[in-house]
Amino acid sequence: MNFLTVLPLAVVMVAGTQLVVAVFLASSDRPRAASLGFLAGAGLVVAAGVTVAWLLVRLVGGLAADATAAVGRIERGPAIDLVVLVLLVVLAVVVWLRRHRAGQPKWLGSIGHADPAWASRLGALLFVVTPTDDLTMAAVGASVARHDLPWWHLLPFVLLTVTLLALPLLALLLLGRRAARVLARMREWAQGHAWVVSEVLIAFFALLTVLDLIRSG
């Protein structure tokens, strides 16, 4: 496994409300400033989330290895694979249960006048309180740590997540007035079909985890 394996899960991170919010901010009174604030808040939380998961797995694995050094080699990899697999199964269930909640939240109407500071707090809070994002960050951080990859391997996942969130802003910058139609299509896709793509990507990553379990067994 390398860091490219976890990149598809970045789509799961932004699918749904997160992308819808990014679209609304790109259509707000201060689209550039508000969008950049939102991206900054979201990027900080995602970076912190995957880092915490990575550190916890490394710490627990190291403590377990030290505790069992006297009795033989610890099978740390398969144990972490099982944890990741459980996280992915729970994530798939949560996405399925929330598939009809992908519509426009009522509070979105209040972000038309968002300033950068407010948008930054929203970006951070949105990724903290969303169960699918929490589970995805935990799975990504744990998987990277399980394969003994260094911390910087998490950075492409964080950067891709932020880049996907930046698509509405990029559409605005590149298309100008014509961006309205593109933004509307992004919003419709996120509200109606994002959960299907998320489930496919979760299943793909779960399959890779199962293959790791088989090889280590």
Side-chain angles (χ1 to χ4, degrees):
M1 173 186 169
N2 54 50
F3 65 86
L4 297 175
T5 309
V6 300
L7 290 184
L9 290 181
V11 177
V12 181
M13 291 289 292
V14 305
T17 302
Q18 292 78 2
L19 186 58
V20 172
V21 170
V23 169
F24 271 80
L25 288 172
S27 306
S28 64
D29 294 341
R30 304 172 63 184
R32 294 170 179 80
S35 295
L36 289 176
F38 179 73
L39 295 175
L44 286 174
V45 168
V46 175
V50 294
T51 298
V52 168
W54 182 83
L55 286 173
L56 285 175
V57 171
R58 300 269 294 193
L59 177 61
V60 172
L63 292 175
D66 291 340
T68 58
V71 295
R73 185 174 63 90
I74 182 173
E75 295 295 334
R76 181 172 67 97
I80 298 175
D81 284 335
L82 285 174
V83 172
V84 172
L85 189 58
V86 169
L87 288 173
L88 291 171
V89 171
V90 175
L91 177 59
V93 172
V94 173
V95 169
W96 172 261
L97 294 176
R98 294 168 61 89
R99 67 191 186 283
H100 295 310
R101 300 181 188 179
Q104 176 179 325
K106 295 180 180 179
W107 49 264
L108 275 180
S110 64
I111 68 175
H113 307 289
D115 58 41
W118 191 90
S120 179
R121 291 193 295 270
L122 175 62
L125 182 63
L126 194 59
F127 281 86
V128 169
V129 303
T130 304
T132 53
D133 289 337
D134 296 332
L135 291 167
T136 304
M137 288 185 287
V140 169
S143 182
V144 170
R146 175 263 183 271
H147 290 86
D148 294 321
L149 298 176
W151 173 84
W152 69 265
H153 282 72
L154 296 169
L155 293 179
F157 173 81
V158 177
L159 292 175
L160 180 57
T161 300
V162 174
T163 300
L164 292 175
L165 284 176
L167 289 178
L169 176 60
L170 294 175
L172 176 67
L173 295 176
L174 294 175
L175 300 177
R177 295 180 179 179
R178 294 176 296 172
R181 182 177 301 177
V182 176
L183 294 176
R185 290 179 179 175
M186 286 185 182
R187 185 171 65 246
E188 291 172 2
W189 177 86
Q191 291 175 334
H193 304 93
W195 72 271
V196 178
V197 179
S198 295
E199 293 285 32
V200 171
L201 294 175
I202 293 167
F204 170 73
F205 195 71
L207 175 61
L208 295 180
T209 305
V210 170
L211 291 177
D212 278 339
L213 273 170
I214 295 173
R215 284 193 293 265
S216 60

